[in-house]
Amino acid sequence: MTAQTEQRVRHRRKVTGRRAVIAGVSALGITGAAVFATGSLLSTAGAATSAWPTENGSKPVSRTIPVSGTYDGGLARFYGTGDLGGSGQDEGQDPIFELADGAVLKNVIIGSPAADGVHCKGSCTLQNVWWLDVGEDAATFKGKSSSAVYTVHGGGARNADDKVLQFNGAGKLVVTRFQVENFGKLVRSCGNCSTQYKRTIIINDVDVTAPGKSIVGINSNYGDTAALRKIRVHGDSAEKIKTCTRFEGNSTGKEPKELGTGADGTSCRFSSSDITYE
C-alpha cells in the first residue's frame, strides 16, 4: 500500500546437522519469537517448493474475518464477495482476514477475489497460507512496535501484479520455506508511508519462480536491512529478477528514489552463494 492508504549467485549453501541449523538461525538473528506453533526452529534444509494444496471446500467472505488466538482454516478456500469482491490494485481495500497482535493464521487458501488478503495489526504468524491470485497485496504488516515479529512460514503466492508481502509497520519480518511465482515484489518495505520505521527483513529457504521483478525492496535511509539465505530462483537464466533493491524512502507520499541493487554488506546482506539459479 502507499502512504495515502496508510494514512487513511550461483552455489547452493549446504547446511547439515543440528548444530548447523542452530548456527544458521543465530546468524540470521532469528529469536524465539520466530519459533513456530509446532515448536520447531526454522528449517534450513530442503527445497521449499512443494505441490500446491487441494482445497477442502470453499467459503465466501463478505466481511473481514477478525482473528485473535489461532485460526485454522482446514485448507478451505476463502474468497471475497460483496464489498470484498475486488481483486485489482485499487488502494484502500479491506482484507479477508485481520489478525490481532499475536494471532496465528494457518492452513488457509485465499482464492479470487482476494481483496487485500491478510492484515496483521501486530506480531503475527502466517503458517501454510496460500494465495492463488493476489489482489492488492497478499499480506500487510502494520504493527507499531519495534519489537514486533511477523512470521511467514510455508505457503506461497501466485499472480501478484505488484507486491506480495507489504511491510508498513515496525519490527522484523521473517519469511521461510515460502514459494512465489509470477509476481512484482516478494517483500517491500513501504517506500512512502506517512509514518516510517526501521525495518528488518529475513528471507530464508525460499523458491522464486519467474516472471518477477524483485525479491525485496528496502529503505536504506531509514536503516532497513534485508538478509537473504538459501534463495532458489527458477526460470530466470538471464538473472533479470533483482535481488535486494535499496530505495530512499520518504513520508510524503512521493515515489521513492531507487539507489541501487545487490549486496552491499550493510543494508542488503547476502553473498553470491546465497542465491542459486536453477
Side-chain angles (χ1 to χ4, degrees):
M1 294 185 188
T2 64
Q4 292 91 330
T5 304
E6 271 302 284
Q7 282 185 25
R8 30 150 210 110
V9 232
R10 289 285 189 262
H11 303 291
R12 182 177 299 172
R13 173 170 295 176
K14 296 181 179 179
V15 182
T16 58
R18 179 177 177 83
R19 291 184 179 179
V21 169
I22 295 173
V25 169
S26 299
L28 290 175
I30 299 172
T31 66
V35 177
F36 303 106
T38 59
S40 60
L41 291 173
L42 306 180
S43 173
T44 59
T49 300
S50 61
W52 283 65
T54 299
E55 68 180 63
N56 182 22
S58 61
K59 297 184 179 181
V61 181
S62 59
R63 288 189 292 182
T64 297
I65 299 172
V67 177
S68 58
T70 298
Y71 186 104
D72 189 334
L75 283 179
R77 175 174 58 88
F78 296 78
Y79 63 93
T81 63
D83 291 342
L84 295 180
S87 58
Q89 291 297 300
D90 294 340
E91 297 288 352
Q93 297 182 60
D94 289 329
I96 302 292
F97 293 95
E98 184 174 74
L99 276 59
D101 186 24
V104 176
L105 179 68
K106 64 181 183 178
N107 302 324
V108 163
I109 300 172
I110 297 180
S112 180
D116 201 28
V118 178
H119 286 185
C120 286
K121 299 177 70 175
S123 295
C124 67
T125 297
L126 307 183
Q127 184 175 342
N128 198 35
V129 177
W130 303 81
W131 290 263
L132 302 181
D133 192 347
V134 175
E136 184 182 349
D137 300 316
T140 304
F141 307 100
K142 307 173 72 173
K144 297 180 180 180
S145 171
S146 61
S147 62
V149 177
Y150 319 92
T151 300
V152 179
H153 179 62
R158 290 173 170 164
N159 306 322
D161 289 339
D162 192 9
K163 302 173 294 293
V164 177
L165 304 176
Q166 176 68 31
F167 195 176
N168 289 353
K172 178 189 292 186
L173 171 61
V174 181
V175 183
T176 59
R177 300 188 67 77
F178 193 76
Q179 50 189 300
V180 62
E181 56 188 81
N182 188 21
F183 65 102
K185 308 173 186 71
L186 172 54
V187 179
R188 179 65 172 104
S189 172
C190 183
N192 54 11
C193 283
S194 58
T195 301
Q196 290 285 23
Y197 305 94
K198 176 182 177 180
R199 304 178 178 108
T200 301
I201 299 168
I202 297 169
I203 304 175
N204 179 49
D205 197 9
V206 166
D207 282 273
V208 173
T209 301
K213 293 181 180 178
S214 67
I215 297 173
V216 60
I218 59 174
N219 307 312
S220 55
N221 59 312
Y222 289 120
D224 290 358
T225 61
L228 277 62
R229 303 288 186 268
K230 292 180 66 66
I231 308 298
R232 296 169 292 274
V233 182
H234 307 273
D236 185 31
S237 57
E239 302 180 24
K240 291 184 178 181
I241 298 176
K242 296 179 179 179
T243 51
C244 179
T245 304
R246 300 177 296 281
F247 292 90
E248 183 178 336
N250 64 74
S251 57
T252 64
K254 294 181 179 180
E255 190 66 23
K257 177 183 177 182
E258 183 173 327
L259 302 176
T261 189
D264 67 350
T266 302
S267 300
C268 295
R269 303 176 179 181
F270 62 97
S271 64
S272 59
S273 62
D274 291 310
I275 314 293
T276 301
Y277 292 87
E278 302 180 348

